[in-house]
Amino acid sequence: MQFTRSRAILCLILLVIAVQVLTRVTGTQFYLTQLTMAAYYALVVIGLTVLMGYAGQISLGHAGFFAIGGYLSAALTTHNLVPYAHSPLVHFLGRIGVLVQGRDIYGEQLLTVTPWAACVLAVVAAAVIALLLGIPVLKLKGHYLAMATLGFGIIIYRIALATDYFGEADGISDVPGFTLLPGIGPVGPLVVNGDFGNRVQNYYIAWGLLIVGMVLLLNLIDSRVGRALRSIHGSEEAAEAAGVDTARCKLQVFVLSAVYAALAGVLLTHYNGGLGPSEASVMKSVRYVALVAVGGMANLWGALVMGVSLTFLSLRGVFGSYDDAVFGAILILVMLFAPDGILGVRPGTLLARLKR
Amino acid sequence: MLELKRINKYFGGLHAVNDVSFRVDRGMIKAVIGPNGAGKTTLFNLIAGNLAPSSGEIRFRGRAIQGMKPHRIAALGMARTFQNIKLFQGMTALESVMVGRHVRSRAGFLAGMFHLPWTWAEERAIRERAMELLELLGIAEFADVEATSLAFGQQRSVEMARALAMEPHLLLLDEPAAGLNIYETAEVARLISRIRDMGITVLLVEHDMSLVMDISDEIVVLSFGEKIAEDIPSAIQQNPEVIRIYLGEDEEIA
Ligand SMILES: Nc1ncnc2c1ncn2[C@@H]1O[C@H](COP(=O)(O)OP(=O)(O)O)[C@@H](O)[C@H]1O
Ligand SMILES: [Mg+2]
């Protein structure tokens, strides 16, 4: 178990390196941009897989958590606090060192929250909202839970679309880069941004994060808590009888998956230099659910492979203007013919299903 | 160990459990019998916390537990099996039994995610203990088979192993012999006696009396939600009202 998993992770690392080398050799480094973005979206998908596939709780609101991460970090790192410089709050923030000064393109003085502080705040906010939402809605099951989380997603979407602070229909642009680590000596800084020259570094940051996120989830699934989660999926009543605090377990994974989504939102926003309300749309939530389903529901590797590959194709524009329709169609087809995901399908069972 | 005081449960207008009181003392095998629909499963659900009583008190190991969540009652040392087997879909027999170790282990969310070294020994112990129980129940060879795909009798054994993995003080068995043939039933009877010898108190529900007469120390008889008798097996066998109920249902007392 442990051994094959380490090998799989090693293979993935080698593949990630091989792809980068290949794009360099063939002069197709423009692919790295979409591969980087796909890695961040896949982070949302694998987090959602643990919630849906293992704990058995659906969420049609995960674009909402992604958007909470993205929008909060974008707003905090772009909105100028100079006009409020004398308010006690801004003063306090400056004192604890979470503000940064700069100049905008017109030479105006800028005072904004640092990306690190904004990131922490955005992710914590997503976690707290997930907790507050999860306590009541996770008592619901099946369709009811789906509808409740859908409602949450719609609220976040409307807030993004209607709030001046979040840029309304235009979203937020000119989001600065996120310096993860400052440069030390000859080693340059580690920065999440969309600079052309920084493409390779960003590719490795995104994939490094995805792989770490993956390892943590694989660990979790294999642990005592992971077993408890899977038992909830199997029979909630029996899990309770075995002493599993099902309500608490469900809440924990809900928050965890929200944190994954929010973190992806933060980083992708810094990478792209902005985001718009479509990131919060219900179609995005449906897309994440479709990717979890097509990956095999309770299959982290399937989710990773499908999350990356289909998102990559979508970002390359392969599906054209039918983009959302493709994901809708995928969802229908998976539910009809392969509710366990297409990676687990054998032709025989497919035929049997068709005949029924 | 367990004490029920004047327990009532209504489902709408239906008085499913009517003023039932009895005690289960440490180390005994106590049985609850009665015709179908007498309220036996409801009584179990009340004890295990799946239902809250309409009135009355349930004390377990010195604590009032009525209205407590099932997982908390389980953590206090009560395990149960279900009349209609409830196994975890998608989990192997071994994994299912390992879930039973949940209350006897402690690795949390973050410890699991970061695969902290101290959890390794715990995981290994959980696995070993679960394997021992599969061996005890004679289903070790199916350890890696998905539990829900096993034969009926083996599924019951997995459920029993999962309950025993909790090292409970009290084990509730809801019709453990339902659907089993006479050989398997005799096997279950021997197993229950062995469980008692391990120091686990047993409360079991049975519809069919042949099993309980041999192994129980005391029997409670329920009919239409009411306790109509409570005594040792030989006395229950002689009790005219019990005989009347069972003859009324066209059943014979073994
Ligand atoms: N959840 C429920 N809601 C309504 N009625 C119930 C429920 N559970 C059991 N009953 C009713 O309570 C009575 C007792 O059922 P039960 O406890 O299952 O009996 P037994 O296990 O002795 O066969 C039956 O009439 C049954 O229909
Ligand atoms: Mg019953």
Side-chain angles (χ1 to χ4, degrees):
Chain A
M1 240 344 231
Q2 204 64 46
F3 183 65
T4 53
R5 190 220 289 176
S6 320
R7 272 215 299 217
I9 292 288
L10 192 68
C11 287
L12 178 60
I13 293 172
L14 293 177
L15 187 68
V16 168
I17 295 171
V19 167
Q20 189 263 315
V21 171
L22 197 70
T23 57
R24 161 162 241 148
V25 171
T26 58
T28 51
Q29 275 173 311
F30 51 85
Y31 283 129
L32 292 185
T33 303
Q34 287 91 28
L35 284 171
T36 302
M37 294 170 71
Y40 287 131
Y41 284 121
L43 198 59
V44 185
V45 178
I46 59 171
L48 190 57
T49 297
V50 176
L51 178 68
M52 281 181 52
Y54 292 93
Q57 311 298 311
I58 193 171
S59 168
L60 280 171
H62 261 55
F65 293 116
F66 180 97
I68 289 172
Y71 266 105
L72 277 182
S73 65
L76 289 170
T77 55
T78 51
H79 280 288
N80 196 353
L81 296 176
V82 166
Y84 314 101
H86 297 293
S87 83
L89 179 65
V90 172
H91 202 72
F92 171 75
L93 291 177
R95 283 260 300 280
I96 61 171
V98 300
L99 296 184
V100 63
Q101 297 201 3
R103 296 201 174 274
D104 69 11
I105 47 173
Y106 309 109
E108 289 284 331
Q109 208 184 7
L110 271 180
L111 185 63
T112 55
V113 177
T114 61
W116 258 114
C119 172
V120 170
L121 202 87
V123 172
V124 169
V128 170
I129 292 170
L131 190 71
L132 296 180
L133 176 71
I135 289 170
V137 306
L138 288 172
K139 293 203 178 85
L140 306 173
K141 291 186 169 49
H143 311 337
Y144 301 99
L145 178 61
M147 283 190 253
T149 51
L150 180 66
F152 162 76
I154 292 171
I155 291 170
I156 298 297
Y157 178 58
R158 296 311 306 189
I159 290 175
L161 206 55
T163 313
D164 180 45
Y165 185 67
F166 295 126
E168 297 177 351
D170 298 331
I172 300 176
S173 51
D174 296 327
V175 176
F178 182 174
T179 307
L180 295 175
L181 287 176
I184 309 162
V187 185
L190 210 54
V191 188
V192 176
N193 62 13
D195 282 3
F196 230 54
N198 221 1
R199 216 159 35 184
V200 173
Q201 192 191 52
N202 266 282
Y203 169 80
Y204 280 114
I205 292 173
W207 279 89
L209 193 77
L210 178 60
I211 290 170
V212 169
M214 184 74 177
V215 169
L216 293 182
L217 293 184
L218 287 168
N219 282 345
L220 178 69
I221 292 310
D222 247 6
S223 73
R224 167 176 177 266
V225 173
R227 257 194 318 275
L229 288 176
R230 292 163 58 204
S231 76
I232 294 174
H233 195 10
S235 162
E236 199 161 333
E237 208 179 344
E240 273 278 331
V244 175
D245 188 344
T246 55
R248 186 190 155 97
C249 268
K250 287 194 274 186
L251 196 57
Q252 284 176 327
V253 234
F254 190 65
V255 171
L256 179 74
S257 66
V259 164
Y260 268 60
L263 192 63
V266 169
L267 293 170
L268 189 58
T269 298
H270 284 287
Y271 180 66
N272 285 339
L275 86 168
S278 71
E279 287 299 347
S281 74
V282 168
M283 259 327 293
K284 272 282 157 69
S285 290
V286 171
R287 173 178 301 208
Y288 297 136
V289 169
L291 289 171
V292 172
V294 76
M297 282 293 187
N299 185 344
L300 276 170
W301 284 105
L304 184 114
V305 170
M306 287 298 161
V308 169
S309 54
L310 290 178
T311 309
F312 176 75
L313 293 178
S314 160
L315 291 168
R316 290 293 309 162
V318 173
F319 307 136
S321 41
Y322 295 106
D323 203 37
D324 283 340
V326 167
F327 285 92
I330 286 171
L331 201 52
I332 295 174
L333 291 174
V334 170
M335 290 304 135
L336 278 179
F337 299 117
D340 299 324
I342 62 166
L343 291 181
V345 166
R346 283 177 295 271
T349 55
L350 195 64
L351 278 178
R353 281 198 156 263
L354 277 171
K355 280 187 203 144
R356 264 209 332 218
Chain B
M1 175 69 57
L2 180 76
E3 186 171 8
L4 277 69
K5 290 182 191 161
R6 311 200 56 174
I7 295 297
N8 283 284
K9 179 67 191 180
Y10 295 89
F11 290 119
L14 176 71
H15 204 165
V17 175
N18 187 349
D19 222 24
V20 171
S21 306
F22 64 85
R23 277 176 42 172
V24 184
D25 294 323
R26 176 183 302 272
M28 65 159 49
I29 296 177
K30 189 142 184 167
V32 179
I33 63 170
N36 259 330
K40 305 180 297 293
T41 297
T42 303
L43 194 67
F44 261 29
N45 285 335
L46 291 168
I47 296 170
N50 301 87
L51 293 171
S54 307
S55 70
E57 190 184 23
I58 305 173
R59 297 191 74 81
F60 176 55
R61 302 180 67 217
R63 238 186 267 222
I65 57 165
Q66 71 276 8
M68 240 188 222
K69 291 265 199 98
H71 71 88
R72 292 207 39 217
I73 296 175
L76 289 176
M78 191 191 296
R80 72 171 297 186
T81 62
F82 295 87
Q83 180 174 353
N84 43 348
I85 305 173
K86 292 189 198 295
L87 290 173
F88 309 125
Q89 204 152 36
M91 292 177 84
T92 66
L94 180 65
E95 288 172 329
S96 307
V97 178
M98 287 169 79
V99 174
R101 295 302 291 165
H102 193 82
V103 288
R104 298 281 165 202
S105 45
R106 59 192 196 89
F109 209 78
L110 293 176
M113 281 186 87
F114 291 96
H115 199 50
L116 299 179
W118 68 263
T119 65
W120 305 351
E122 185 180 91
E123 265 308 285
R124 199 171 332 112
I126 290 172
R127 186 174 292 271
E128 276 164 15
R129 185 76 190 110
M131 205 59 217
E132 279 168 29
L133 285 163
L134 288 178
E135 267 154 32
L136 175 77
L137 285 149
I139 46 171
E141 56 189 300
F142 305 115
D144 296 323
V145 179
E146 192 173 321
T148 50
S149 68
L150 289 172
F152 186 76
Q154 292 156 351
Q155 291 198 16
R156 279 218 178 283
S157 299
V158 173
E159 224 195 9
M160 186 85 100
R162 180 176 71 199
L164 290 175
M166 296 166 68
E167 286 175 31
H169 295 276
L170 175 68
L171 176 60
L172 308 181
L173 301 172
D174 196 351
E175 307 216 11
L180 300 185
N181 63 35
I182 49 170
Y183 304 106
E184 292 168 326
T185 302
E187 193 66 44
V188 167
R190 267 196 297 280
L191 178 66
I192 294 173
S193 298
R194 261 184 91 178
I195 290 170
R196 189 251 320 264
D197 296 341
M198 294 178 202
I200 298 172
T201 309
V202 178
L203 178 64
L204 84 143
V205 152
E206 257 306 334
H207 170 71
D208 156 30
M209 306 237 285
S210 54
L211 173 75
V212 293
M213 286 301 164
D214 297 338
I215 59 167
S216 313
D217 298 306
E218 284 179 11
I219 297 178
V220 169
V221 187
L222 282 189
S223 174
F224 294 108
E226 273 183 90
K227 180 176 96 173
I228 56 162
E230 177 175 9
D231 218 323
I232 56 170
S234 55
I236 291 290
Q237 254 164 326
Q238 310 299 324
N239 186 312
E241 201 170 352
V242 177
I243 293 171
R244 191 180 55 75
I245 287 170
Y246 270 77
L247 286 181
E249 213 206 12
D250 217 1
E251 283 236 8
E252 112 188 34
I253 298 180

